[in-house]
Amino acid sequence: IHDDDVNSGSELGFVPVIWKKSWNGMNEHCDGRSWKRVRFCDVRVANRNSGSVRRCKVVAKVGRFQVGDVVVPRHRWAPSMRSLGVYRAVEYEILELHLLDPISKTKTSIQSTHNLSFNVSPHNVLATLAPRRRLIARFERKWPVQVSLYDASLFSLKSDVLASAIATLASTICVFILTFYAREAVSIYRIPSLSMAPTLEVGDALLVEKVSLRKRELQLGEIVLFAAPDTLKQRIEKAGGYIGPRDLFVKRVAALPGDWISVVDGHVQVNGEEIEPADPKLRIDPTEVPPGMVFVLGDNYELSLDSRYFGLLPQDRVIGRPLCRCFPFTRAQLLDAHKPR
């Protein structure tokens, strides 16, 4: 505490009242136990007798270092430190410690900071450092170098390893969480057949989003990706094929709940309007699409295995909507997924 009257506060009846202040994005209580990691705090000192309040400044408490310790600078890539040769995250050995008198500018050699008075500022404690290992030529300097503990923001090797381990663990957890949620939001799907040609060709890669289905109903004419319903699985397995648990199909919504569909004389009709040819042998009597179901068709009707053959598609089997074709790059473009057929 830089105030002579306050330094002797216990004799004059002053009581420190500690206030909380944000520093480097963290809130710290300057309560004496955590001053080691606090740069500056707003401190008010109250007089027991008069009740008056005075403001003063508290500086960071000097860390516990001694000659021979291995330390790691954690300054924020300060240019002044780099020019001296004090590099962030490089291991240094403390060769000497000196206490600088701020008035006379004289230096007193010390072996440890453990017993320094509380009001000694880390600005006035100088450490003589040299790297433990040889650095590459561009980082070499005339060693040793002398810096203040405050400017170098030194950490003990143990504290640095612990902090790095915690940061690595936190980063790994964040990446895992982001990856998990990203997979739930978007994915890449490769077109395996010509059932949607010429809109989508074999080998096209689609970026598919899966979030909008929770807020927006399916629309007529839009392209959707869906997991195979039981009727489609049975048809493929009966033909000797196999559908994996992650296999998806892509079609276009041709009819929504409330629409009437039929296949008459080799033509698919929706609400009485012919929209696509069909197998002449195929016949579907006029049927109303019930709630929770849709009727889907492929753009290439000759090669598409769609609702003409496996029936209505439950909406809860729809996985996502394609946003764009991202491969091949020569055909990359946004997809108008809601374009009517």
Side-chain angles (χ1 to χ4, degrees), residues 247-269:
D247 289 341
L248 299 179
F249 293 78
V250 57
K251 305 295 176 189
R252 194 184 295 273
V253 177
L256 295 171
D259 291 336
W260 285 82
I261 60 169
S262 63
V263 178
V264 181
D265 298 329
H267 293 88
V268 178
Q269 296 181 353

Side-chain angles (χ1 to χ4, degrees), residues 18-19 21-24 26-43 58-62 122 150:
I18 309 303
W19 297 71
K21 183 178 180 181
S22 177
W23 171 68
N24 288 348
M26 300 181 292
N27 288 327
E28 299 276 2
H29 275 298
C30 308
D31 59 359
R33 293 185 297 275
S34 59
W35 270 346
K36 181 177 179 180
R37 295 300 305 138
V38 177
R39 299 284 179 124
F40 295 98
C41 293
D42 180 16
V43 178
V58 175
V59 298
K61 181 180 177 181
V62 177
Y150 179 88

Side-chain angles (χ1 to χ4, degrees), residues 231-290:
T231 52
L232 178 55
K233 289 181 179 179
Q234 292 170 4
R235 190 178 185 92
I236 292 178
E237 291 172 356
K238 186 177 180 180
Y242 170 76
I243 298 179
R246 300 181 62 180
D247 289 341
L248 299 179
F249 293 78
V250 57
K251 305 295 176 189
R252 194 184 295 273
V253 177
L256 295 171
D259 291 336
W260 285 82
I261 60 169
S262 63
V263 178
V264 181
D265 298 329
H267 293 88
V268 178
Q269 296 181 353
V270 176
N271 296 328
E273 179 183 354
E274 181 181 319
I275 62 171
E276 185 171 286
D279 186 340
K281 299 180 181 179
L282 186 65
R283 180 176 180 82
I284 300 177
D285 293 331
T287 304
E288 183 181 11
V289 180

Side-chain angles (χ1 to χ4, degrees), residues 113-230:
T113 63
H114 296 184
N115 298 320
L116 291 181
S117 173
F118 171 76
N119 61 353
V120 172
S121 167
H123 287 278
N124 300 326
V125 179
L126 306 179
T128 302
L129 307 175
R132 295 185 68 197
R133 297 175 179 85
R134 185 180 180 85
L135 306 181
I136 61 176
R138 60 178 295 192
F139 294 126
E140 285 291 342
R141 295 291 188 273
K142 292 183 178 180
W143 312 111
V145 295
Q146 191 174 69
V147 294
S148 72
L149 298 184
Y150 179 88
D151 292 335
S153 188
L154 298 179
F155 275 62
S156 68
L157 181 60
K158 181 179 179 180
S159 298
D160 182 72
V161 171
L162 179 61
S164 298
I166 293 174
T168 301
L169 178 62
S171 300
T172 303
I173 294 174
C174 289
V175 169
F176 176 80
I177 293 174
L178 290 176
T179 302
F180 175 79
Y181 281 102
R183 290 183 60 185
E184 294 297 313
V186 294
S187 64
I188 301 293
Y189 176 78
R190 183 178 177 275
I191 301 298
S193 72
L194 289 170
S195 67
M196 285 296 291
T199 307
L200 301 172
E201 301 288 350
V202 175
D204 286 356
L206 307 181
L207 179 64
V208 180
E209 64 85 15
K210 308 175 184 179
V211 179
S212 64
L213 291 171
R214 304 173 185 175
K215 299 182 179 180
R216 180 162 55 85
E217 296 292 335
L218 295 178
Q219 299 181 26
L220 187 65
E222 74 175 332
I223 300 173
V224 295
L225 277 85
F226 59 91
D230 293 338

